[in-house]
Amino acid sequence: MSIFGEAALSAFLELLSAKLLDSVLNFVADHRQVHQQLKHWQSMLPEIKAVLNHAEEKQIKDEGVKHWLDDLQDLAYDVDDILDEFAYQELSLKLQKTQAQASTSKVQKLIPTCFTGGHFSPISFMFNAKMISKIKAITDRLNSLNTRRSSLGLSEIMSQGATSKGKKPRLQPTSLMDGAVDYVGRANEKQEMLELLKSNNPNGVCVLSIVGMGGMGKTTLAQLVYNDPSIKESFDHKSWVCVSDDFDAVNITKTILRSVDADSRDENDLNLLQVKLKEKLSGKRLLLVLDDIWNESYSDWTILRAPFGAATKIIVTTRLEKVSSNVDPVKAFYLDKLSHHDCLSIFAQHALKARNFDGHPQFKEIGENIVRRCNGLPLAAKAIGSLLRTVQDHSEWERVNESEIWDLPEDPCGLIPALRLSYHYLPPHLKRCFAYCSIFPKDYEFEEEEIILLWNQKLKFKAKVLETNIFKI
């Protein structure tokens, strides 16, 4: 099961519990057999949902747990289908009652004995042998899953994510830095880059590249250099562009031009844009950061750099050696892993709002063990530190340290175990939102109001379909 499948399942069980609590139990109150079984579902679903965190983690090495989760997901969909049938019939009866009130002469035709006082009576066509058989089959499967849960050793793991503040997906990096964080570990690289950027370079545009695997701190190093006070004295203009997967020369040039001339016209012709940019840069010194380049085309690079001359200095960050080679840097900075001491400082700042563990000796040993698992990656130290920021229970730190997710290899998408672990501990409603936002292209820019509107439309879609079907009967 994928991580997004896990997100859907967690949220799905929560939604099913809510459906049962809302109206279905009242709707079937007059049918004792059905009501008792749905009450049983209502008590069982929260117990199963409580062990999902453990199951999602344990399935990594236990095939039996993986099959249990797959069976649970199948059951959840079947339960949802039955509850939708109840919802459909309830809305149908409400519509019939409304029509009956408008036409009293047709009351007996529109409301047979199946409707009495707002509830289904035992003779309702809904509770025929086929429907009761479906309900009983689901009850048997639910009991079986619960029995298997115990035999698989699944137990409840509380989610630290319940204290998580964020409700939006991660945004693309910008040039600005967090003033509350003391950045460590790249002082030598930063100093050398500053000296190269401020030196004279008569041989055309000067490019520096920062190369390293995901999570190594390439963007952070570029931010440190970009925001250094001495840069402001050495350049007339600065521009930051997050390039990412979509190497669009027109949009990149537009962004650079707007940083140089805020009143520039919104052109879409690359030639006009580059001519205008070249004019604006005449006699001016520009520092340009092109962050996160993946495009390996040398031709695209030569077209993009055409407006720039010797007064322009460019910093490129990339994971790819070929990209670094294409931009022909004066020097390429290959980032290695941080020292344990520097990683520990990053972790402590995000977990404890402190540079070290001097004020929190009870967490020192377990904190050092967790940092060793981060394997020198600053992003991993930050992610896990942020995860534990509001957690004061030592046993929860132990649980994070002992998680089997650490033993997973980095997947083809570059998702390091620490980031997968931080996702794992999100609460179900945030996992669901995270999964929904994954449908947007990488680095897609959206407003908070837009996401809220789209999310509400998604949640209302199924109800709208039900209403539409009812009005067709």
Side-chain angles (χ1 to χ4, degrees):
M1 182 182 292
S2 70
I3 59 173
F4 294 133
E6 295 162 13
L9 182 55
S10 297
F12 205 16
L13 291 180
E14 195 170 279
L15 180 62
L16 294 184
S17 298
K19 280 187 177 182
L20 286 168
L21 288 169
D22 284 343
S23 62
V24 175
L25 284 170
N26 289 331
F27 184 58
V28 301
D30 287 345
H31 197 291
R32 183 179 178 185
Q33 183 181 0
V34 173
H35 189 268
Q36 285 180 340
Q37 294 206 50
L38 294 189
K39 284 287 288 183
H40 182 62
W41 295 6
Q42 185 186 38
S43 65
M44 294 285 286
L45 286 174
E47 293 179 21
I48 289 178
K49 187 166 76 72
V51 304
L52 276 185
N53 275 333
H54 191 197
E56 289 167 6
E57 180 176 332
K58 195 171 181 180
Q59 67 164 325
I60 297 166
K61 294 182 177 180
D62 192 325
E63 194 70 18
V65 175
K66 184 179 184 302
H67 290 318
W68 183 86
L69 280 170
D70 290 338
D71 291 344
L72 177 59
Q73 182 166 297
D74 290 340
L75 177 63
Y77 286 125
D78 290 341
V79 170
D80 192 50
D81 287 342
I82 291 236
L83 296 181
D84 281 344
E85 286 189 51
F86 286 137
Y88 177 87
Q89 295 299 337
E90 184 177 18
L91 287 172
S92 178
L93 285 175
K94 286 180 180 178
L95 177 61
Q96 290 180 21
K97 184 178 180 182
T98 300
Q99 292 173 337
Q101 291 171 343
S103 179
T104 56
S105 64
K106 299 180 180 179
V107 168
Q108 295 304 317
K109 293 181 181 179
L110 292 172
I111 310 181
T113 55
C114 68
F115 185 83
T116 57
H119 299 296
F120 257 141
S121 72
I123 64 171
S124 169
F125 64 91
M126 271 204 69
F127 299 130
N128 55 29
K130 184 177 180 181
M131 174 60 76
I132 292 176
S133 176
K134 281 184 180 180
I135 294 171
K136 185 178 184 307
I138 285 178
T139 302
D140 291 342
R141 290 164 64 191
L142 195 59
N143 288 334
S144 174
L145 281 169
N146 199 40
T147 301
R148 288 166 60 193
R149 176 199 72 173
S150 300
S151 65
L152 290 168
L154 298 177
S155 59
E156 181 174 352
I157 296 179
M158 298 302 294
S159 170
Q160 290 91 348
T163 60
S164 176
K165 300 291 192 296
K167 292 193 177 182
K168 294 191 292 183
R170 179 180 179 267
L171 302 177
Q172 66 185 34
T174 71
S175 64
L176 300 181
M177 306 192 74
D178 184 355
V181 175
D182 187 7
Y183 293 87
V184 298
R186 303 295 183 196
N188 293 336
E189 292 90 339
K190 174 188 172 183
Q191 187 58 40
E192 186 175 358
M193 290 182 71
L194 287 173
E195 291 173 1
L196 288 170
L197 291 173
K198 290 183 283 187
S199 63
N200 293 324
N201 182 52
N203 301 319
V205 61
C206 170
V207 181
L208 303 178
S209 65
I210 305 174
V211 189
M213 65 179 285
M216 197 61 73
K218 301 181 296 297
T219 297
T220 300
L221 176 56
Q223 289 171 328
L224 287 168
V225 173
Y226 188 87
N227 290 286
D228 190 84
S230 65
I231 289 294
K232 187 174 182 180
E233 302 171 0
S234 303
F235 293 91
D236 301 296
H237 301 288
K238 296 193 302 179
S239 181
W240 181 287
V241 184
C242 183
V243 179
S244 196
D245 296 331
D246 185 17
F247 191 93
D248 187 327
V250 172
N251 285 333
I252 295 172
T253 306
K254 275 185 185 180
T255 302
I256 300 169
L257 183 56
R258 280 195 295 267
S259 65
V260 174
D261 178 14
D263 298 324
S264 61
R265 294 174 56 188
D266 193 17
E267 300 280 359
N268 286 309
D269 184 284
L270 182 59
N271 177 64
L272 294 176
L273 288 168
Q274 289 199 331
V275 169
K276 183 71 171 178
L277 180 59
K278 189 175 181 65
E279 291 174 356
K280 289 293 181 181
L281 291 178
S282 179
K284 302 292 184 179
R285 298 165 298 173
L286 169 70
L287 173 61
L288 170 63
V289 174
L290 299 173
D291 185 39
D292 194 27
I293 295 183
W294 290 81
N295 188 311
E296 297 182 350
S297 170
Y298 176 73
S299 176
D300 289 349
W301 166 251
T302 57
I303 292 171
L304 180 67
R305 76 179 183 189
F308 308 116
T312 296
K313 306 292 178 70
I314 301 176
I315 299 174
V316 168
T317 73
T318 182
R319 296 187 189 188
L320 306 177
E321 169 64 30
K322 186 174 181 181
V323 171
S324 176
S325 178
N326 283 344
V327 302
D328 191 22
V330 171
K331 180 165 184 178
F333 291 82
Y334 295 91
L335 299 191
D336 201 356
K337 297 175 181 179
L338 289 182
S339 68
H340 176 73
H341 179 270
D342 287 337
C343 254
L344 196 64
S345 177
I346 293 172
F347 175 82
Q349 288 188 67
H350 291 282
L352 304 170
K353 295 183 285 187
R355 286 293 303 274
N356 51 52
F357 286 83
D358 290 351
H360 306 270
Q362 72 276 23
F363 290 120
K364 188 176 191 309
E365 182 178 356
I366 184 62
E368 289 184 339
N369 290 336
I370 290 173
V371 169
R372 288 188 187 94
R373 283 186 169 275
C374 291
N375 198 27
L377 296 179
L379 180 59
K382 177 182 177 181
I384 302 302
S386 299
L387 171 67
L388 294 171
R389 188 174 183 85
T390 58
V391 179
Q392 299 301 314
D393 186 344
H394 191 276
S395 65
E396 295 300 334
W397 284 54
E398 288 281 3
R399 185 167 285 123
V400 168
N401 180 52
E402 294 169 2
S403 172
E404 294 177 332
I405 293 177
W406 288 110
D407 300 326
L408 286 174
E410 182 177 328
D411 70 10
C413 297
L415 182 64
I416 59 178
L419 294 185
R420 186 175 185 128
L421 187 67
S422 64
Y423 166 84
H424 171 75
Y425 279 96
L426 286 175
H429 69 281
L430 289 185
K431 284 185 178 180
R432 192 179 180 205
C433 185
F434 186 93
Y436 176 73
C437 289
S438 72
I439 67 176
F440 294 97
K442 186 176 179 181
D443 293 329
Y444 174 79
E445 294 185 20
F446 50 77
E447 299 294 332
E448 181 179 356
E449 291 77 10
E450 177 189 6
I451 288 296
I452 292 172
L453 177 62
L454 291 171
W455 185 247
N456 286 336
Q457 288 176 336
K458 175 184 180 294
L459 296 178
K460 292 176 181 177
F461 176 74
K462 186 175 284 189
K464 190 67 176 177
V465 170
L466 282 172
E467 287 183 30
T468 302
N469 290 336
I470 288 171
F471 278 100
K472 288 180 179 179
I473 63 174

